[in-house]
Amino acid sequence: MKLFLQILLIVTSVLLIVAVLLHRGRGGGLSSLFGGGMQSSLAGSSVAEKNLDRITLGLGAVWLIAIVGLGLLVKI
Amino acid sequence: MLSAFRSALATPDLRKKILFTLMIVAVYRIGAVMPAPGVSYPNVQACQAQLQDQSFFSLLNLFSGGALLQLSIFATGIMPYITASIIVQLLTVVIPRFEELKKEGQAGQGKLTQYTRYLTIALAILQATGIIALADRGGLFGECSQPVLPDNSVYTLALTVLTMTAGTAVMMWLGELITERGVGNGMSLLIFLNIAARIPAEGGNILNNQGGLVFFFVCLLGLAIIASVIFVEQGQRRIPVQYAKRMIGRRMYGGTSTYLPIKVNQAGVIPVIFASSLLYLPNLIGSLIGDQNEASTWQRFLQTYLVDQSSWVHITLYFALIIFFTYFYITITFNVDERAEEMKKFGGFIPGIRPGRPTAEYLGFVLSRITLPGSIYLGIVAILPNFFLSITGQGNNQNFPFGGTAVLIMVGVGLDTVKQIESQLMQRNYEGFLR
């Protein structure tokens, strides 16, 4: 069970990183970080982006469950 | 004020946005206290109770909202993203291709953001490895005997690093979700949260250690500092710009007179972040390569002059670095030649000054003059807490939520967010927060 959870955690971690990186970046980096210009986010998200959102959400949920499960199981 | 809140909540789409932001914030805070796999939670708690001097990781811990010393899944905090943004921003000066991308506008900017995100992940791996290595060697908590990572086989440690890296990715995504569907800029809002989350604990600390009277005065002082920071942040010089009338097809364009706002503190809080990251670098290197028990001469030298935040060398150096970086950052971000060129292209001019090179020179002149008080103000606010060491307790000063970096970030982000909410309210003709 522990091994399974660990493998699950590894797989979901990698997939999660990939999924997040596949998203189109929002916000213009540092310039808009601390009190920069105000950009209006008028552009809606595309269908691909929406599906990616869903996938990321699912992966994130599994990832969280794996972490909590490992924490409960190992309990050091 | 209260009616503005009510009207903000009464507007359906704005209410949705605010609630969405709050939901993300809740998710984020839960993640910030959830221990990463392989970390022994009770031992971490025990070690934290023992920990007296936090000065060493103050900045990192500040940006992670205490998640770093919890060794939680979000332990790397927002720092990798900040570092990545700074690096990419600096590279636009160095690498011609980046400069081209920056000039390309929206599409190029998107590409730069994409690079920043890749770099964030790379830096996150580095930082997570660093944290884990440090925690494994017992360097993170000083003299704490309990092992925070009981099972230190390579496999388990790698798993922890991987989880923290994925945590950074998730954090980045959460920030982007807020930017996209919520209010304000997600990344800066998360930093804001990290700092704000510490206020109750720090306040309680002062109340317990120093008594009610000191606490009262600290609160008063904090309010005064915040008010003055807002005052300066809002201050700007408005350079009038006159646009010529021109006909395009059958329609008349231009002929308006507007102004080019130049803020007193055009650089925001970034110089402070630059300077403090730079100052803490030798400290980090020293702790990574040096031996904990016997300090060599140069290590002791570093300790007395650079690390100790109450030493005058540290304070002077910090101040000078902030002033330098303010000018440095403004020359990078505010390109006067570009502005002058743009103005010329669209038929604008500053009354009394020829378009083109004279305009650029004039803008540069105004900018360098107005930045001087701006940079001195930044420096003063940033070093203020170093003088209150006796109140806040040794080492907690930059974390001290009523002065320094923390207040600058909080006020900057707070103002920005409120302005964004207000512009949304204005679309529906409601009175805003700021009058």
Side-chain angles (χ1 to χ4, degrees):
Chain A
M1 188 63 186
K2 185 183 160 194
L3 191 68
F4 169 71
L5 276 179
Q6 281 177 337
I7 292 172
L8 186 70
L9 186 56
I10 293 174
V11 172
T12 45
S13 292
V14 173
L15 286 179
L16 201 57
I17 293 172
V18 172
V20 170
L21 283 184
L22 277 178
H23 275 97
R24 199 149 39 96
R26 294 282 170 157
L30 254 202
S31 49
S32 59
L33 256 179
F34 311 97
M38 303 211 294
Q39 74 272 56
S40 52
S41 50
L42 285 176
S45 45
S46 59
V47 180
E49 194 87 354
K50 253 179 206 161
N51 282 333
L52 201 53
D53 271 351
R54 250 173 241 151
I55 293 172
T56 318
L57 204 62
L59 278 175
V62 177
W63 181 70
L64 266 186
I65 291 169
I67 291 174
V68 173
L70 260 183
L72 288 180
L73 206 65
V74 179
K75 215 175 242 174
I76 351 173
Chain B
M1 189 72 199
L2 278 178
S3 67
F5 268 111
R6 204 182 311 132
S7 55
L9 287 178
T11 321
D13 56 341
L14 196 55
R15 180 178 56 218
K16 223 165 123 191
K17 279 182 174 176
I18 290 176
L19 288 181
F20 182 79
T21 312
L22 287 180
M23 192 189 78
I24 297 277
V25 165
V27 171
Y28 175 71
R29 281 314 296 175
I30 291 173
V33 291
M34 187 181 279
V39 173
S40 161
Y41 187 68
N43 285 3
V44 167
Q45 291 302 327
C47 281
Q48 252 191 340
Q50 279 183 31
L51 197 67
Q52 296 299 320
D53 182 18
Q54 296 190 344
S55 68
F56 183 51
F57 293 104
S58 58
L59 187 78
L60 278 180
N61 205 26
L62 176 72
F63 281 131
S64 65
L68 169 65
L69 290 181
Q70 296 258 11
L71 286 177
S72 72
I73 51 175
F74 287 165
T76 53
I78 215 82
M79 205 62 181
Y81 189 81
I82 293 179
T83 323
S85 318
I86 290 174
I87 291 175
V88 168
Q89 193 91 37
L90 291 184
L91 281 184
T92 53
V93 188
V94 184
I95 301 179
R97 165 149 170 76
F98 277 37
E99 203 183 343
E100 263 171 45
L101 279 178
K102 196 183 176 190
K103 278 187 184 151
E104 241 170 52
Q106 199 84 49
Q109 198 66 50
K111 208 145 205 179
L112 279 184
T113 311
Q114 205 56 263
Y115 288 153
T116 310
R117 304 170 81 232
Y118 295 147
L119 196 59
T120 305
I121 297 298
L123 288 174
I125 296 174
L126 268 183
Q127 199 181 321
T129 317
I131 291 172
I132 294 299
L134 216 58
D136 186 33
R137 284 170 43 186
L140 198 56
F141 290 102
E143 311 91 34
C144 182
S145 51
Q146 274 112 330
V148 281
L149 297 161
D151 176 17
N152 55 0
S153 64
V154 177
Y155 172 66
T156 317
L157 292 188
L159 188 68
T160 315
V161 169
L162 187 65
T163 312
M164 280 185 182
T165 313
T168 313
V170 170
M171 224 177 331
M172 199 159 71
W173 188 54
L174 291 181
E176 279 162 6
L177 277 181
I178 293 182
T179 312
E180 201 177 329
R181 290 187 210 160
V183 283
N185 181 300
M187 284 297 171
S188 35
L189 214 61
L190 289 187
I191 299 175
F192 174 86
L193 269 176
N194 283 340
I195 297 168
R198 302 185 58 91
I199 290 184
E202 298 280 338
N205 234 352
I206 294 172
L207 190 60
N208 285 337
N209 296 343
Q210 310 280 339
L213 195 66
V214 176
F215 180 69
F216 177 72
F217 277 113
V218 166
C219 285
L220 222 58
L221 194 74
L223 281 181
I225 293 175
I226 289 176
S228 58
V229 167
I230 291 176
F231 179 73
V232 181
E233 288 289 329
Q234 295 285 70
Q236 57 186 18
R237 161 104 189 244
R238 296 177 171 179
I239 298 178
V241 179
Q242 183 76 40
Y243 279 96
K245 271 192 185 139
R246 41 183 197 159
M247 297 279 280
I248 297 177
R250 293 192 328 187
R251 296 182 63 182
M252 184 87 96
Y253 286 98
T256 50
S257 135
T258 70
Y259 55 85
L260 182 69
I262 294 184
K263 277 159 85 180
V264 175
N265 175 24
Q266 185 87 14
V269 76
I270 292 165
V272 180
I273 295 174
F274 271 38
S276 40
S277 340
L278 209 67
L279 264 186
Y280 118 107
L281 214 60
N283 192 5
L284 185 71
I285 294 170
S287 83
L288 277 179
I289 60 174
D291 201 332
Q292 293 283 329
N293 300 323
E294 44 182 306
S296 56
T297 329
W298 64 273
Q299 243 174 332
R300 233 174 298 138
F301 174 79
L302 278 182
Q303 192 66 38
T304 35
Y305 288 114
L306 279 184
V307 178
D308 184 11
Q309 296 190 328
S310 57
S311 88
W312 61 270
V313 176
H314 176 96
I315 294 176
T316 323
L317 199 64
Y318 194 32
F319 192 73
L321 273 176
I322 286 173
I323 291 184
F324 169 72
F325 275 126
T326 313
Y327 273 94
F328 180 72
Y329 190 71
I330 283 178
T331 32
I332 287 182
T333 51
F334 196 96
N335 192 337
V336 279
D337 290 321
E338 231 165 65
R339 286 297 161 95
E341 193 61 36
E342 243 166 52
M343 246 193 262
K344 197 170 142 193
K345 220 188 265 169
F346 292 105
F349 61 93
I350 300 168
I353 291 156
R354 283 163 159 269
R357 206 164 57 87
T359 305
E361 271 165 15
Y362 176 73
L363 282 181
F365 175 76
V366 172
L367 199 61
S368 66
R369 288 296 167 97
I370 205 169
T371 303
L372 185 66
S375 62
I376 292 176
Y377 138 82
L378 263 186
I380 289 177
V381 174
I383 62 172
L384 258 186
N386 292 35
F387 297 120
F388 299 124
L389 284 177
S390 53
I391 301 177
T392 58
Q394 181 72 30
N396 273 335
N397 38 22
Q398 280 303 334
N399 286 348
F400 182 54
F402 302 115
T405 327
V407 152
L408 284 173
I409 294 176
M410 280 201 303
V411 171
V413 175
L415 274 178
D416 204 37
T417 310
V418 167
K419 269 184 199 158
Q420 260 196 31
I421 296 178
E422 197 180 45
S423 74
Q424 299 249 347
L425 274 180
M426 281 301 174
Q427 286 175 0
R428 296 189 167 243
N429 277 333
Y430 285 123
E431 239 176 299
F433 292 96
L434 301 168
R435 277 172 211 175

